[in-house]
Amino acid sequence: MTPERGFDVELVRIHHVAIISSDYRRSKHFYVDLLGLTIIQETYREERDSYKLDLQIGGTDQQIELFSFPNPPQRVNQPEARGLRHLAFVVRNMEQSVSELQSKGIEVEPVRIDPITGNKYTFFADPDGLPLELVEHE
């Protein structure tokens, strides 16, 4: 929406995406060691028996907040279910990125071409089955 239509809030970009994991150590390993995200800060919140891990995406100020909670309920994880459908990351070289993920034991779907944008894309999943997408974009 534009300010001319009476909206004063200007959304500039996404700051972070929050993910609740079922196994904090496994998810931390996946996002840090396998995907290569940088740890900004790790906090243990004793009152919640919970970790909060702030991760930097690339050289940007965009972040993933990885949380742990005791016995979090499962979320419906079908691609067409309501709510967050997937989280997409931009890569510059699709083939190299796919090869790197596969070398780390991560199963990746076949690369496809988006009929609207013409961009290459593919999907893989985090340890809890959250769909993650790679999009090749300059």
Side-chain angles (χ1 to χ4, degrees), residues 6 11 18 27 30 38 42 49 57 64 69 74 76 99 119 129 135:
L11 302 180
S27 292
F30 178 83
T38 302
E42 183 175 35
D49 189 23
I57 301 171
I64 289 178
F69 292 105
Q74 284 192 332
V76 174
S99 178
N119 292 333
V135 178

Side-chain angles (χ1 to χ4, degrees), residues 2 8 17 27 29 32 35 41 44 46 50-51 53-54 56-57 62 73 77-78 87 90 92 113 116 123 136:
T2 61
D8 294 327
V17 173
S27 292
H29 169 71
V32 174
L35 296 188
Q41 182 173 337
Y44 178 71
E46 189 172 344
S50 168
Y51 280 94
L53 182 65
D54 297 317
Q56 181 182 26
I57 301 171
Q62 298 168 13
N77 210 15
Q78 299 150 327
L87 173 60
V90 171
R92 289 191 173 84
I113 305 292
I116 297 170
F123 287 92
E136 187 176 83

Side-chain angles (χ1 to χ4, degrees), residues 33-112:
D33 300 328
L34 301 182
L35 296 188
L37 300 184
T38 302
I39 296 174
I40 299 168
Q41 182 173 337
E42 183 175 35
T43 305
Y44 178 71
R45 301 176 305 174
E46 189 172 344
E47 71 282 1
R48 293 180 169 198
D49 189 23
S50 168
Y51 280 94
K52 178 181 183 280
L53 182 65
D54 297 317
L55 300 168
Q56 181 182 26
I57 301 171
T60 71
D61 61 352
Q62 298 168 13
Q63 300 176 24
I64 289 178
E65 293 180 347
L66 182 64
F67 290 92
S68 70
F69 292 105
N71 304 309
Q74 284 192 332
R75 182 182 311 265
V76 174
N77 210 15
Q78 299 150 327
E80 303 304 327
R82 286 186 205 155
L84 179 66
R85 183 171 179 171
H86 61 265
L87 173 60
F89 298 99
V90 171
V91 296
R92 289 191 173 84
N93 185 311
M94 181 63 70
E95 289 74 21
Q96 179 183 353
S97 299
V98 167
S99 178
E100 180 69 19
L101 291 174
Q102 290 172 332
S103 76
K104 295 177 178 182
I106 298 171
E107 189 175 319
V108 181
E109 292 182 5
V111 175
R112 294 174 271 174

